[in-house]
Amino acid sequence: MTTPEGRPAAPPTTVPRRGPALWKLRGIALAAQLAPEPVLRFVMHELRIMASLPRWAARRQHGVNGADAVFTHGRDQAAMMYGLTFACVIETVVLSFLLSNWPLVHSVFLVVDVYTVLFVLGMHAASVTRPHILADGTLRIRQGAGVDFLVPLDRIATIRRETLFTHVKKGNELNMPIGSQTSITLELTEPLDVPKFLGAHRPVQLIRLHADDPKSLYDAVAQARTTRTTASVPPEPSSSTARVGGSGGGERPMLDT
């Protein structure tokens, strides 16, 4: 290919195509620069809640690949969440009827009400699709889309099953009730930094959580701790000889046959 002057034209420049993953990474990086961390954490929390809805509909759990055991914890709040969703739906219908003569106000409230219904369902969906996970010597503790942290099994001093319906707030304790109850209590050997909702950390040494089947969680953690303790103890050296007393009190090796 030549130019009008008869000189060879330069080869066309190939520009790499920017895929959606690259645009997503650049968007996250730009948002991190423009918005403060608390705002980003709040937005990410909302996105995790909404992303839990299709995951719940597809019956897929989050982060369970490679897990040794999975423990759900959303069953005991289902009735309350469904009742709250029903109340929100009734409110949406009533407001739509009352505001029918004001189209603009009706449209605004309709968007808010529909989002509220999805938000309530999403909170329950996040609890159902984000179970507690035991894997690689750690217990991943979660509560909905807002709490997610790791507890190494080596840091657990004691674990016990106890059902509590009242919880007094203390500085070094973390209570994560589901349906106003907890069924497992973990005491740690030393404080563990756990992030709060907006990113700040606080040290906790006692954790109360809930599981649909607390016995399974208790047994699995206890067995995993026992296995790790046994594996960390070096085996005693075995002797290939044994003393065999004779008439003369001499010793001779006993050979393996």
Side-chain angles (χ1 to χ4, degrees):
M1 183 176 181
T2 60
T3 62
E5 293 79 8
R7 291 177 296 180
T13 304
T14 58
V15 179
R17 299 182 62 184
R18 295 169 179 171
L22 180 60
W23 285 111
K24 182 179 179 181
L25 291 176
R26 291 189 174 183
I28 294 175
L30 180 60
Q33 294 177 0
L34 298 178
E37 182 182 358
V39 175
L40 283 178
R41 294 183 69 90
F42 182 80
V43 172
M44 294 304 297
H45 177 261
E46 299 288 312
L47 293 177
R48 285 193 296 267
I49 286 179
M50 293 303 164
S52 299
L53 288 171
R55 189 181 296 273
W56 183 34
R59 298 179 179 271
R60 292 187 294 110
Q61 294 178 322
H62 176 271
V64 297
N65 293 334
D68 299 328
V70 174
F71 312 98
T72 58
H73 59 269
R75 182 184 61 195
D76 292 330
Q77 72 174 10
M80 178 186 67
M81 301 304 289
Y82 291 149
L84 186 58
T85 302
F86 178 76
C88 291
V89 171
I90 296 299
E91 179 190 13
T92 302
V93 174
V94 171
L95 284 178
S96 296
F97 176 76
L98 295 177
L99 299 176
S100 58
N101 294 329
W102 297 277
L104 179 60
V105 179
H106 172 265
S107 300
V108 172
F109 273 88
L110 181 61
V111 172
V112 173
D113 288 339
V114 170
Y115 182 81
T116 301
V117 172
L118 294 177
F119 182 81
V120 173
L121 285 176
M123 287 194 299
H124 179 59
S127 295
V128 173
T129 59
R130 294 173 176 267
H132 306 308
I133 297 173
L134 180 63
D136 299 328
T138 60
L139 178 63
R140 185 177 182 180
I141 298 177
R142 303 195 279 190
Q143 185 184 38
V147 179
D148 191 341
F149 62 96
L150 300 176
V151 178
L153 298 182
D154 298 336
R155 301 276 290 272
I156 299 178
T158 59
I159 177 173
R160 60 181 181 269
R161 293 172 54 194
E162 57 178 4
T163 301
L164 299 175
F165 292 93
T166 57
H167 306 88
V168 179
K169 291 185 178 180
K170 294 183 179 180
N172 63 340
E173 296 182 1
L174 176 62
N175 300 308
M176 299 186 299
I178 296 293
S180 301
Q181 66 173 313
T182 58
S183 53
I184 294 289
T185 300
L186 301 176
E187 291 188 17
L188 308 182
T189 57
E190 56 183 312
L192 179 71
D193 284 337
V194 177
K196 295 182 179 180
F197 179 76
L198 295 180
H201 287 72
R202 66 162 176 165
V204 297
Q205 198 161 359
L206 189 142
I207 302 171
R208 295 188 181 96
L209 61 145
H210 182 65
D212 294 340
D213 188 356
K215 182 178 183 304
S216 296
L217 193 153
Y218 174 87
D219 292 342
V221 172
Q223 182 179 359
R225 293 178 63 213
T226 302
T227 303
R228 290 178 63 85
T229 302
T230 304
S232 62
V233 176
E236 297 181 359
S238 58
S239 177
S240 59
T241 62
R243 295 184 178 181
V244 179
S247 58
E251 300 177 357
R252 68 176 183 270
M254 178 178 290
L255 302 179
D256 295 334
T257 57

